[in-house]
Amino acid sequence: MESNLKFESQKLATWYFTVAAILFGAQLLMGLIAAAQFLYPSFLFEIFDFSVARMVHINALVVWMLYAMIGSVYWLLPEETGIETVGIKIAKLGFFVLTAAITVVVLVYIIVQIGPATESSIWLIHEGREYIEAPRWADIGIVVVVLIFVANLFLTAMKGRQTGIVTVLMADVLALAGLYLAGMFFTDNISIDQYWWWWVIHLWVEATWEVFVGCLLSYGLIKIIGARREVVEMWLWIEVSMLFGSGILGMGHHYFWIGTPEYWWEIGALFSALEPVPLIAMFVHVIYDWGKETGLKEAESKASGEGYHSMNNSPAFTWFVMNAFGNFLGAGVWGFFHTLPQVNIYTHGTQFTSAHGHLAFFGAYATILIGMFYMAIQGKNNISILKATFDSKMAVFLICFGVMGMTVALTIAGYGQVLVERAQMGATWEGFFVSQDMMWFVQGIGWRLAMGIVTFVGFIYLIKDLLTTSKNSIHIK
Ligand code: HEM
Ligand code: HEM
Ligand SMILES: [Fe+2]
């Protein structure tokens, strides 16, 4: 379709969003394969092993989210600063280089899968670090493209209007990109390796990505319901200070049992237990602003006798609200469940962790990034009021119900696992296998697969809606 976008930066954003959506689909398919292998261990055995399906599942997850995050910055930057992104040509080149590299990496994961235990595998196949396994050649390429991206952001922000959102984004993106370096070094000591690996994983999802979400929430509230910038940006500053305050030392909850000093028990317990506080603040922020701003405007429009639309993009707003709920539930509640060392000694590395991992990544990030897909669809098709459709509602319902269902199923499986494998059988090798055959565990794993299929059907509705949505909406001009 012809694009109506006047900024090249926003065109580039739609490319990033498109690749993100494709990788999201690939992620879900890999999840389904891995989930089926839990129940039918011989499924694709030695052709496409569980370890490979799982690896592609979670690496695709991280990459599609990073793509959607980069896309979001290129999307909102010209609107916030009032100017075209500086260095947009090289930014586009960066997109092609990155996408070509990612394609090669994924093909190697799928076709080559594993290599010899030498350094050549780290350079050419993958690094064996959960979530961020890109081989070293690709790591270096990623760093170069991300430097271009950071330069685009900084140069544009310095030349154009500087809003609070852009200022926070500048600091945040610098930290987010810089942390990636902590996951690139090689050491043959697994404790040291994990120590630094958590700097990337934890400080991404519980500090820098959360701040990023704060920026998107602020932007979305201003654009969709016309919230006032002063109010929204004030919240943003408060959230940023709280997120960094608890998130940085909260990292201690990963340092309980990996050979790091014991003082991390107290530090991790205290600061990670505080982490839900900013998530509650974000939740209140969205709901409060929504109620207040729409109430005010409704009164105004009644007084003037004009027709009133409380929001100009219902699907995007629905996903933004899902984000407020999901972030609080997945990260805040499910995170808090197992964050004290007294609890974590039993739950560590069980399906309980997986339940939290799913709901947190989904609730905190997938939701709001899908919301940004809808912002881009609205802008690209020049739609003044984007309404919800049958497909968009089915997508929200099936995806959210599916992921929530998977989370509940995994929580039940994890509960049984903790009880039998850890509490009764004392974390022994035998305990592991006994708990894997337990009825509660197997049924939970079965429901996870069923709910995964529900999620995937929702994803198909989502794509269908994104591709056809402009038809049901009110256009300007
Ligand atoms: C959106 C934010 C969050 C995301 C995306 C997230 C995601 C994850 C994931 C994927 C894991 C598993 C890591 C692995 O593979 O070993 C994990 C572990 C963990 N998370 Fe979170 N998390 C978030 C926020 C939180 C919060 C706020 C808390 C605490 C209140 C928390 C507490 C924990 C703990 C204690 C573990 C370790 C579990 C274990 O020992 O097995 N998380 N998180
Ligand atoms: C079709 C739906 C999905 C299915 C069937 C599925 C299945 C799976 C399976 C089987 C694993 C391996 C678990 C293990 O090693 O015990 C896994 C891991 C994971 N998946 Fe999914 N998944 C799906 C969707 C998602 C979504 C939507 C997200 C987040 C947005 C997600 C995030 C993760 C994460 C973070 C892990 C690693 C968890 C950990 O190690 O603690 N998955 N998934
Ligand atoms: Fe963490």
Side-chain angles (χ1 to χ4, degrees):
M1 191 187 291
E2 244 336 273
S3 167
N4 293 304
L5 299 172
K6 74 172 190 285
F7 290 110
E8 291 300 312
S9 187
Q10 295 199 323
K11 280 186 198 154
L12 174 60
T14 61
W15 302 349
Y16 269 105
F17 287 141
T18 308
V19 177
I22 295 169
L23 285 169
F24 183 22
Q27 182 216 345
L28 295 181
L29 281 176
M30 292 294 152
L32 287 174
I33 295 177
Q37 287 168 331
F38 257 90
L39 289 170
Y40 313 104
S42 58
F43 178 55
L44 295 181
F45 184 57
E46 291 190 336
I47 302 166
F48 201 76
D49 285 345
F50 173 78
S51 58
V52 181
R54 182 185 195 280
M55 176 184 83
V56 185
H57 177 59
I58 59 178
N59 280 268
L61 161 77
V62 170
V63 176
W64 87 252
M65 291 193 167
L66 290 174
Y67 258 66
M69 287 160 75
I70 296 176
S72 301
V73 172
Y74 283 125
W75 181 265
L76 63 78
L77 199 54
E79 288 179 11
E80 286 289 302
T81 58
I83 57 169
E84 177 66 89
T85 295
V86 178
I88 186 66
K89 286 211 175 73
I90 184 152
K92 286 184 174 174
L93 183 70
F95 167 82
F96 288 111
V97 172
L98 190 62
T99 306
I102 300 283
T103 312
V104 175
V105 170
V106 173
L107 289 177
V108 170
Y109 286 171
I110 292 178
I111 298 163
V112 183
Q113 300 183 359
I114 46 170
T118 62
E119 272 212 35
S120 67
S121 297
I122 297 180
W123 276 94
L124 301 175
I125 303 176
H126 53 67
E127 287 184 340
R129 287 194 182 98
E130 222 193 335
Y131 303 98
I132 43 169
E133 323 220 21
R136 186 146 308 161
W137 72 267
D139 267 354
I140 295 168
I142 290 169
V143 170
V144 173
V145 177
V146 169
L147 280 175
I148 298 175
F149 165 66
V150 172
N152 287 146
L153 171 60
F154 273 66
L155 294 175
T156 315
M158 280 169 354
K159 190 171 157 202
R161 192 172 50 219
Q162 276 149 18
T163 63
I165 295 178
V166 170
T167 309
V168 173
L169 264 183
M170 285 162 78
D172 188 55
V173 163
L174 200 62
L176 198 164
L179 284 169
Y180 189 71
L181 303 177
M184 284 175 61
F185 302 101
F186 176 74
T187 145
D188 54 14
N189 180 317
I190 190 78
S191 291
I192 296 176
D193 196 274
Q194 289 276 294
Y195 182 90
W196 291 108
W197 174 81
W198 281 116
W199 276 54
V200 191
I201 300 306
H202 173 97
L203 292 180
W204 267 4
V205 300
E206 283 160 77
T208 50
W209 287 26
E210 286 283 10
V211 169
F212 193 95
V213 163
C215 294
L216 293 186
L217 269 181
S218 307
Y219 167 79
L221 287 171
I222 294 173
K223 293 295 284 191
I224 306 174
I225 60 172
R228 263 165 315 150
R229 187 177 282 275
E230 309 86 82
V231 179
V232 168
E233 288 189 342
M234 176 205 68
W235 276 101
L236 182 61
W237 289 110
I238 298 175
E239 283 156 11
V240 166
S241 53
M242 287 202 292
L243 284 164
F244 278 136
S246 55
I248 293 176
L249 286 172
M251 190 153 61
H253 63 194
H254 303 294
Y255 290 164
F256 294 153
W257 332 112
I258 63 166
T260 28
E262 285 173 11
Y263 52 73
W264 285 110
W265 290 347
E266 285 81 16
I267 298 175
L270 176 65
F271 288 94
S272 69
L274 288 174
E275 282 185 52
V277 179
L279 304 178
I280 298 173
M282 287 170 106
F283 178 79
V284 176
H285 170 171
V286 174
I287 305 299
Y288 171 83
D289 278 4
W290 182 14
K292 192 175 55 99
E293 301 287 339
T294 50
L296 271 177
K297 292 209 189 90
E298 220 155 354
E300 271 170 23
S301 67
K302 260 195 200 128
S304 67
E306 284 167 21
Y308 170 66
H309 291 282
S310 62
M311 62 182 79
N312 61 26
N313 190 333
S314 310
F317 197 68
T318 310
W319 283 107
F320 274 72
V321 172
M322 285 301 151
N323 173 262
F325 276 94
N327 205 350
F328 173 62
L329 273 180
V333 178
W334 256 262
F336 186 76
F337 276 164
H338 62 170
T339 206
L340 298 177
Q342 293 90 329
V343 177
N344 192 265
I345 195 168
Y346 294 103
T347 57
H348 180 60
T350 59
Q351 291 304 322
F352 215 94
T353 308
S354 191
H356 157 66
H358 277 87
L359 195 58
F361 258 110
F362 174 76
Y365 304 117
T367 47
I368 197 158
L369 295 171
I370 298 175
M372 288 303 294
F373 291 172
Y374 275 103
M375 297 298 283
I377 285 288
Q378 179 183 27
K380 182 168 179 273
N381 297 329
N382 222 358
I383 300 168
S384 60
I385 296 172
L386 181 61
K387 292 192 199 152
T389 60
F390 175 75
D391 291 347
S392 80
K393 290 179 198 160
M394 285 301 278
V396 173
F397 174 70
L398 292 175
I399 296 178
C400 295
F401 182 70
V403 175
M404 197 63 218
M406 287 199 293
T407 305
V408 171
L410 289 172
T411 304
I412 294 173
Y415 182 82
Q417 188 183 2
V418 168
L419 198 72
V420 174
E421 176 188 332
R422 301 284 161 87
Q424 288 177 355
M425 302 191 66
T428 54
W429 191 230
E430 192 199 353
F432 174 77
F433 286 102
V434 171
S435 76
Q436 301 284 307
D437 287 334
M438 200 189 19
M439 194 184 71
W440 280 34
F441 186 89
V442 177
Q443 286 188 353
I445 293 299
W447 278 105
R448 186 259 303 272
L449 178 59
M451 288 299 166
I453 294 170
V454 172
T455 309
F456 191 74
V457 175
F459 171 78
I460 293 175
Y461 274 106
L462 174 69
I463 295 303
K464 179 165 170 256
D465 190 56
L466 288 171
L467 293 175
T468 57
T469 197
S470 60
K471 295 193 189 106
N472 292 338
S473 299
I474 302 174
H475 289 255
I476 347 169
K477 283 166 232 153

